[in-house]
Amino acid sequence: MQLIGSLTSPFVRKVRIVAAEKFIEYELVIDTPWSEDTRVPEFNPLGKVPVWIMEDGKTLFDSRVIVEYLEHVSPVGHLLPKDARPRIAVKRWEALADGVCDAAALVFVERKRAADKQDPEWVKRQMAKIAAGLNMMSDDLGNQNWCTGEFFCLADVAVGCALGYLEFRFPEIDWRRQHSNLSELFDRMMQRPAFKETVPVA
Ligand code: GSF
């Protein structure tokens, strides 16, 4: 099996961490969708990473579908509850974290445009989504050890990838000072080899 992705994408990192936590072997094929010679559109018409290529050559995207598949592929290290109510709660955390990453990725792309072409209102709108998303993450985490309570799960992986992406691309957002509980959660997650081995690399 292969994972096509970049070393900076928080969505690719989420898949890499889930695969590592569940001891799933695969080949990582580095491909940055923005590069001239990218092959991503051959596997995903949306031109986005991550893309997972299964043994039979079928492709999977997006990251939420891929992690759902990985949870099914291996019984090791359950990261998604089976029962509907707790499972939906984890997927909501993932949607919140992925949404923060979506807004951050949009700002990153906007900032790559020529200065006179950048729309400050658009950037402001996305930054507001990031701030509001962080507020909800912090409120919902409260003083628990992990996002959904006593056990580490996919919710924590998604939140960790979002926080790591902000740390990597948006050092000006001081989420650690604004939300000390998120800072402690992130440092707890960074003790795990799967997180240490997937820190974004420019
Ligand atoms: C988002 C993937 C994505 O935006 C998922 O996998 O969860 N909902 C999808 N990937 C970005 C790279 S990055 O910002 O993580 C991507 O591939 N962008 C290329 C493009 O053409 O938008």
Side-chain angles (χ1 to χ4, degrees), residues 6 8-12 14-15 32-34 40 44 46-51 61-66 94 98 101-102 104-106 108-109 165:
S6 67
T8 54
S9 163
F11 304 102
V12 172
K14 180 173 55 167
V15 172
T32 306
W34 314 107
V40 173
N44 175 1
L46 306 172
K48 295 191 173 203
V49 290
V51 182
F61 50 83
D62 66 1
S63 66
R64 280 170 262 199
V65 172
I66 297 169
E94 186 184 23
D98 285 5
C101 292
D102 285 333
L106 286 172
F108 175 68
V109 171
Y165 188 65

Side-chain angles (χ1 to χ4, degrees), residues 108-181:
F108 175 68
V109 171
E110 183 73 6
R111 285 179 172 167
K112 289 207 289 197
R113 303 180 70 190
D116 62 334
K117 291 249 184 328
Q118 291 180 31
D119 178 353
E121 277 312 302
W122 172 256
V123 170
K124 195 160 155 255
R125 184 183 173 85
Q126 302 311 318
M127 293 303 254
K129 293 175 193 284
I130 294 170
L134 288 169
N135 285 340
M136 178 174 272
M137 284 179 192
S138 181
D139 289 351
D140 288 2
L141 173 66
N143 59 7
Q144 300 178 122
N145 283 331
W146 304 107
C147 290
T148 58
E150 279 318 297
F151 304 104
F152 170 80
C153 74
L154 175 64
D156 303 290
V157 176
V159 167
C161 290
L163 297 175
Y165 188 65
L166 294 180
E167 189 172 65
F168 173 60
R169 289 276 192 225
F170 297 86
E172 76 271 20
I173 300 178
D174 193 2
W175 56 270
R176 283 185 177 276
R177 192 183 48 76
Q178 292 156 10
H179 305 293
S180 57
N181 62 343

